[in-house]
Amino acid sequence: MVISRPVLYSKSAEYAIQAMIYLTENKSDSPTMIHKIASSYGIPSQFLSKIMQSLVKHRLIHATRGRTGGVTLAKSPEKIYLNDIVVCIDGPILENPQCVIGLNLCSDEVPCPLHDQWKPIKEKMRQMLENESLKHLADRVIAKREKMNRKSK
């Protein structure tokens, strides 16, 4: 039986990462409105609001209500890792036996045809998520945007 699951993380986790990058890039003493983040990345605002509730619940961001409300990072971006964000949204997905071709079971005991090739890749991805800080990622996103802007001129 084949079941559909994301190989690395869900679209919701992708949106959460993008929102966290936005908050890191656009540091401010005042909260950032969620609709501003959503429009910047083309994310449906209502959907991002639900995602942000999970980030608040896991204490990755603070939310402030009211006319001047919005969200801010709850801690330094150097202390937030991609794995923190992904686990907040998707749960610890890489710890589950996950098949690259979508079979419902793939393990050392019951391997799929690609299991031996997929296992070290999956471990590398897990390590990347655990070791990549939000600050480092945001710095690299900024550098990429600057490079793209120079090429377009």
Side-chain angles (χ1 to χ4, degrees), residues 90-101:
D90 292 342
I93 59 171
L94 291 179
E95 292 174 12
N96 298 329
Q98 206 169 350
C99 181
V100 70
I101 59 174

Side-chain angles (χ1 to χ4, degrees), residues 60-111:
L60 295 178
I61 61 172
H62 291 297
T64 307
R65 295 178 186 247
R67 288 187 59 198
T68 59
V71 294
T72 56
L73 293 176
K75 53 187 170 180
S76 164
E78 291 90 352
K79 295 181 180 176
I80 299 172
Y81 293 87
L82 289 183
N83 195 54
D84 299 331
I85 302 167
V86 172
V87 167
C88 166
I89 303 300
D90 292 342
I93 59 171
L94 291 179
E95 292 174 12
N96 298 329
Q98 206 169 350
C99 181
V100 70
I101 59 174
L103 300 177
N104 64 347
L105 180 61
C106 181
S107 65
D108 292 336
E109 295 80 32
V110 186

Side-chain angles (χ1 to χ4, degrees), residues 3 21 40-41 53 66 89 103:
I3 57 173
I21 289 170
S40 175
Y41 280 99
Q53 289 173 7
I89 303 300
L103 300 177

Side-chain angles (χ1 to χ4, degrees), residues 5-61:
R5 289 188 296 212
V7 171
L8 187 53
Y9 50 77
S10 68
K11 194 71 168 171
S12 297
E14 178 184 323
Y15 288 161
I17 291 168
Q18 290 173 335
M20 297 292 279
I21 289 170
Y22 184 96
L23 292 173
T24 301
E25 284 184 280
N26 300 283
K27 294 179 206 129
S28 175
D29 292 334
S30 58
T32 302
M33 300 292 282
I34 293 173
H35 71 83
K36 189 173 182 181
I37 300 169
S39 66
S40 175
Y41 280 99
I43 302 169
S45 190
Q46 295 279 3
F47 189 43
L48 185 59
S49 292
K50 296 250 185 240
I51 292 167
M52 298 306 257
Q53 289 173 7
S54 293
L55 295 172
V56 169
K57 183 179 170 184
H58 285 86
R59 296 187 172 116
L60 295 178
I61 61 172

